[in-house]
Amino acid sequence: MDLVPALEEPLKKVLGPATAKVMAEHLGLHSVGDLLHHYPRRYEERGQLTHLADLPMDEHVTVVAQVADARLHTFASAKAPRGKGQRLEVTITDGSGRLQLVFFGHGVHKPHKELLPGTRAMFAGKVSLFNRRLQLAHPAYELLRGDAEETVETWAGALIPIYPATAKLESWKIGKAIQTVLPSAQEALDPLPESLREGRGLVPLPEALLKIHRPHTKADIADAHARLKWDEAFVLQVALARRRHADAQLPAVPRKPAPDGLLSAFDDRLPFTLTDGQQKVSKEIFDDLATDHPMHRLLQGEVGSGKTLVALRAMLAVVDAGGQAAMLAPTEVLAQQHHRSIVEMMGELAEGGMLGGSEQGTKVTLLTGSMGTAARRQAMLDLVTGEAGIVIGTHALIEDKVQFHDLGLVVVDEQHRFGVEQRDALRGKGKQPPHLLVMTATPIPRTVAMTVFGDLETSVLDQLPAGRSPIASHVVPAADKPHFLTRAWERVREEVENGHQAYIVCPRIGDEEDDPKKARKSAEDEAEKRPPLAVLDIADQLAKGPLSGLRVEVLHGRMHPDDKDAVMRRFAAGETHVLVATTVIEVGVNVPNATAMVIMDADRFGVSQLHQLRGRVGRGSAAGLCLLVSEMPEASPARQRLTAVASTLDGFELSRIDLEQRREGDVLGQAQSGARTSLRVLAVIEDEEIITEARQEATAVVEADPELTGLPGLRTALDALLDEEREQYLEKG
């Protein structure tokens, strides 16, 4: 992070080209500084051994254990027909369990000499299953003796650091490389302002680096962690605070709604009153829109909490003030749907300039990539003349040809599916930077919001509007209890007989273009060797079997846009009983009469995705039902995840569970549209306090000295954090 000359030294100069190449390719480490910030994942104590009983399958592990026995077998094989083949089987133990190591061929000589019963060593390799027993084939190993000077030096501390390693580079080799560069840690420039570091009793950076790599006690590790967490939280928050500071300097046109304009006409025709939450969030947005620098706000709302209504009122306020508003949706299905529902909500107010339209109305235009040339030309004309006050579209809105009369507000739906470049391109279409409202239905814990969307102010809608029904969710264990699945199809029939409709969701489409090689296989997939269930297969089986006689249709992303729209229209009109679909229905589909959803292979979806999908039912007055079908065994993490989803409807609670089960990197990586996560020791969920305090400190530092002229160490750390990719990311955020 802190790249200064000694730490900028390329690894190939220090460690030699071969090791440096592996470090660069497999671990992304290029300089001495990078390597010093490659922290141990955990520490082994000499006296306490890894639990061999808990080893994960198919993962690369490092264990410390003692050889219990070693036997050399000879056997005949194609390569050694005369019974000259050799296999060395070594059993190691740590008291909790035993593990077999296997060496073959010429590879048996060295371990046969060295791995004698009673010898202790570190072993690294990939855990596999052979004859129902765990084993490591040809593991790399390092003996733990206390004789050779180097080994004494390396293993002197009672705590042995275990580094995130790869098959190409074992933990102890990384450890040795770190010992080589550790003296350079003395030159690490400290990014924390002196007053902050002393005020919080944190150790200096060089000391923290020494303690994390060569701790003598557990207290050393705790000191180092406390300090390094602060670095990560603080540097990231300074980057975001500078971003907010720079945004606050940008000019924007204040947009205040006219007292008796379009917005009040719209509010007058609403058949219900806004919830307290909607009123509070709307006020935050209107206050932002009235200022002369651009609003940057994140609107988080549970599925069905009425985000679209809040966004629409913001758009109407801008149109009232003489500007235009654009809403960006991630898919055509969603753009068409938003267009339909907004036109419905506005009624004659959406027909500005047309016969029968309202005096105060405006035109609501749709612009997507698959529109015919004439319709598209007309839509673009409506935008450039200002005839259309509201435009809803996909990334077709971003093309160079599209020009606005006066773009005042950009609403982005489902941020995590939308690249930052696209937001930026649209933002560049205003005469001055337009106001920005980002909506997401994926509840994000507060700290993640502060870390990922730290340049946006956050508003949360957590009340459901009156009249929304609760959704009952149940796990259907198809393998353990097949009769539960039979009952699930009966339930779908019952819903249809009561005049309702149902969704059935599958992970895959099922036409030959689904290339199974491309699909990433998880260990669980491997275990069961079955490809995920597909829409086309399931629809066919159900129509002929348990749901015969019902009108079943399919919907997936590779259908022609017109066909998709036609299927959705028939379903919305109640002509189709059951819609078998992929996750294209995950966001924004609104069919109040659909009350049941069956999710096949539910274990193949993420927690927040399941929560999103479930939000498609129970949108009317009748209660919703969601059945999560899985063949995973009861004890598996996948089943526990499903049980968690079934047990609560609180999206924020689920997002915490989701985060605890996955590593932050995945969450941040996904949310940051590809920018790699820079968090190594900071855990977004556990370190809420540090992140909150770091944000306050960072804001104060940037207010006092936006250019950070007095803090060279902090500037250096920022430059390293914001390597080009991140810099662009934050620039465009």
Side-chain angles (χ1 to χ4, degrees):
M1 226 153 61
D2 1 53
L3 301 181
V4 286
L7 302 194
E8 269 173 12
E9 190 79 40
L11 287 174
K12 57 173 180 280
K13 278 194 169 167
V14 189
L15 303 174
T19 310
K21 185 167 182 259
V22 177
M23 286 195 168
E25 283 176 10
H26 293 274
L27 298 169
L29 308 174
H30 304 278
S31 67
V32 169
D34 291 345
L35 183 54
L36 285 174
H37 286 287
H38 185 71
Y39 308 135
R41 175 182 289 162
R42 56 190 168 82
Y43 300 86
E44 283 295 356
E45 292 179 58
R46 286 285 166 92
Q48 260 189 358
L49 297 166
T50 334
H51 284 300
L52 291 181
D54 305 335
L55 288 181
M57 280 291 294
D58 279 339
E59 274 192 34
H60 199 83
V61 298
T62 303
V63 296
V64 176
Q66 189 161 12
V67 177
D69 78 335
R71 294 171 186 204
L72 192 61
H73 302 273
T74 52
F75 60 92
S77 70
K79 284 186 181 167
R82 296 208 189 96
K84 294 271 177 65
Q86 291 193 313
R87 180 175 79 241
L88 176 66
E89 289 178 5
V90 178
T91 307
I92 58 172
T93 177
D94 65 351
S96 76
R98 297 165 87 80
L99 179 65
Q100 189 153 36
L101 316 178
V102 196
F103 301 87
F104 291 103
H106 294 304
V108 304
H109 305 307
K110 186 167 176 275
H112 189 216
K113 279 213 301 279
E114 295 182 336
L115 297 179
L116 305 169
T119 310
R120 300 185 41 151
M122 296 173 83
F123 301 92
K126 193 169 169 188
V127 183
S128 57
L129 205 56
F130 182 70
N131 281 345
R132 302 205 136 189
R133 289 169 62 190
L134 291 180
Q135 72 165 25
L136 296 182
H138 278 287
Y141 62 88
E142 175 86 3
L143 300 181
L144 297 180
R145 8 173 213 251
D147 49 15
E149 186 190 348
E150 178 201 33
T151 330
V152 174
E153 178 55 27
T154 317
W155 311 112
L159 294 161
I160 303 168
I162 304 289
Y163 289 93
T166 74
K168 295 267 189 290
L169 202 63
E170 293 87 16
S171 168
W172 55 85
K173 289 189 180 158
I174 297 172
K176 284 180 179 170
I178 286 175
Q179 295 298 336
T180 311
V181 301
L182 208 49
S184 311
Q186 291 309 327
E187 300 186 37
L189 258 189
D190 203 318
L192 294 189
E194 189 90 354
S195 55
L196 187 157
R197 192 171 61 70
E198 291 182 347
R200 295 185 179 275
L202 299 168
V203 300
L205 183 58
E207 187 183 329
L209 289 171
L210 278 172
K211 283 184 165 173
I212 200 159
H213 292 299
R214 295 188 63 178
H216 292 296
T217 61
K218 287 187 174 168
D220 284 353
I221 301 173
D223 285 353
H225 268 157
R227 162 62 215 241
L228 295 166
K229 281 181 177 187
W230 252 95
D231 276 17
E232 287 181 8
F234 180 71
V235 174
L236 185 57
Q237 291 302 336
V238 167
L240 295 165
R242 289 186 72 187
R243 182 76 234 129
R244 289 195 299 275
H245 182 82
D247 283 341
Q249 316 304 312
L250 289 173
V253 180
R255 311 277 180 175
K256 293 183 181 159
D260 295 316
L262 188 53
L263 180 62
S264 20
F266 174 76
D267 285 350
D268 291 345
R269 40 167 301 142
L270 278 178
F272 49 81
T273 52
L274 297 175
T275 64
D276 297 347
Q278 286 172 322
Q279 287 180 341
K280 175 176 134 294
V281 169
S282 289
K283 182 181 180 322
E284 292 170 349
I285 293 173
F286 291 151
D287 289 350
D288 281 1
L289 289 173
T291 60
D292 55 8
H293 56 84
M295 161 171 86
H296 287 104
R297 193 164 276 283
L298 173 69
L299 172 57
Q300 290 184 241
E302 273 290 10
V303 182
S305 56
K307 289 184 302 297
T308 314
L309 177 63
V310 169
L312 175 56
R313 293 185 72 238
M315 295 199 285
L316 295 173
V318 169
V319 175
D320 257 354
Q324 289 169 295
M327 182 182 226
L328 265 177
T331 63
E332 294 212 352
V333 169
L334 207 52
Q336 287 161 345
Q337 243 155 7
H338 276 316
H339 182 255
R340 245 199 325 270
S341 65
I342 283 176
V343 169
E344 273 167 27
M345 281 198 251
M346 286 175 64
E348 74 270 11
L349 296 175
E351 296 164 358
M354 296 190 237
L355 274 174
S358 154
E359 279 300 295
Q360 293 147 313
T362 185
K363 200 165 177 183
V364 179
T365 296
L366 176 69
L367 182 62
T368 63
S370 64
M371 279 164 74
T373 319
R376 200 181 162 97
R377 193 175 292 132
Q378 181 58 50
M380 286 168 62
L381 193 64
D382 290 345
L383 292 186
V384 75
T385 57
E387 181 92 0
I390 293 179
V391 58
I392 294 150
T394 54
H395 40 263
L397 279 179
I398 297 166
E399 292 171 8
D400 294 342
K401 297 193 287 283
V402 179
Q403 297 298 324
F404 289 83
H405 176 64
D406 177 15
L407 181 60
L409 169 68
V410 175
V411 178
V412 180
D413 189 21
E414 284 308 314
Q415 151 68 16
H416 60 280
R417 296 157 176 259
F418 224 91
V420 177
E421 297 72 27
Q422 289 131 313
R423 257 163 56 180
D424 195 46
L426 194 57
R427 201 189 264 182
K429 293 191 178 289
K431 295 189 175 70
Q432 288 196 334
H435 298 280
L436 175 70
L437 180 65
V438 171
M439 299 198 296
T440 175
T442 310
I444 306 166
R446 209 169 69 87
T447 43
V448 180
M450 282 195 291
T451 314
V452 180
F453 300 110
D455 55 336
L456 302 172
E457 298 300 328
T458 308
S459 296
V460 178
L461 272 177
D462 45 14
Q463 278 173 290
L464 287 187
R468 288 300 298 271
S469 307
I471 305 169
S473 307
H474 304 284
V475 178
V476 177
D480 319 345
K481 300 180 177 161
H483 59 283
F484 275 37
L485 186 57
T486 314
R487 176 74 190 116
W489 302 129
E490 288 168 10
R491 282 290 290 117
V492 170
R493 285 196 94 92
E494 287 163 19
E495 289 299 311
V496 173
E497 281 158 14
N498 291 334
H500 297 302
Q501 292 157 280
Y503 297 101
I504 293 165
V505 182
C506 303
R508 209 163 56 95
I509 297 174
D511 52 15
E512 52 295 340
E513 283 185 55
D514 280 353
D515 182 353
K517 285 205 286 290
K518 282 189 194 140
R520 223 178 57 235
K521 286 200 172 71
S522 73
E524 289 168 343
D525 291 6
E526 283 292 351
E528 57 181 11
K529 294 279 186 275
R530 170 171 79 61
L533 294 171
V535 166
L536 301 175
D537 308 342
I538 292 286
D540 194 42
Q541 289 166 22
L542 291 175
K544 290 177 181 157
L547 302 184
S548 61
L550 302 186
R551 288 192 295 280
V552 178
E553 288 210 59
V554 300
L555 179 71
H556 59 74
R558 277 209 291 273
M559 288 163 62
H560 187 279
D562 295 350
D563 297 342
K564 275 194 262 196
D565 206 40
V567 168
M568 269 324 298
R569 277 177 196 278
R570 286 195 292 275
F571 190 64
E575 294 165 24
T576 307
H577 295 137
V578 178
L579 188 62
V580 184
T582 55
T583 53
V584 290
I585 60 155
E586 180 183 349
V587 269
V589 175
N590 188 13
V591 180
N593 190 43
T595 52
M597 175 178 284
V598 182
I599 303 179
M600 306 302 292
D601 276 347
D603 46 271
R604 314 232 177 187
F605 298 99
V607 170
S608 56
Q609 203 174 23
L610 290 169
H611 183 59
Q612 288 285 332
L613 285 165
R614 169 171 67 182
R616 301 297 117 219
V617 294
R619 297 178 81 84
S621 48
L625 171 70
C626 177
L627 301 174
L628 306 167
V629 180
S630 170
E631 294 185 359
M632 280 289 152
E634 201 163 348
S636 63
R639 268 286 286 284
Q640 289 159 4
R641 221 171 42 232
L642 297 182
T643 308
V645 174
S647 65
T648 174
L649 289 173
D650 178 343
F652 286 91
E653 176 56 29
L654 285 175
S655 67
R656 283 190 83 99
I657 293 170
D658 197 16
L659 253 181
E660 282 159 9
Q661 290 198 339
R662 305 193 291 162
R663 294 192 321 283
E664 270 85 15
D666 306 347
V667 179
L668 299 183
Q670 174 197 6
Q672 290 172 333
S673 59
R676 63 185 177 70
T677 168
S678 59
L679 303 188
R680 297 188 179 92
V681 285
L682 192 70
V684 174
I685 286 283
E686 295 151 31
D687 298 324
E688 184 161 343
E689 215 171 290
I690 295 181
I691 294 172
T692 311
E693 290 175 14
R695 182 176 169 121
Q696 291 161 356
E697 295 270 8
T699 308
V701 166
V702 171
E703 288 298 313
D705 177 7
E707 291 305 307
L708 309 177
T709 35
L711 297 165
L714 179 54
R715 292 186 62 138
T716 310
L718 263 182
D719 294 343
L721 170 75
L722 305 180
D723 49 32
E724 288 175 16
E725 176 181 39
R726 293 288 296 246
E727 182 70 79
Q728 286 169 351
Y729 171 75
L730 288 170
E731 271 309 308
K732 295 178 176 172

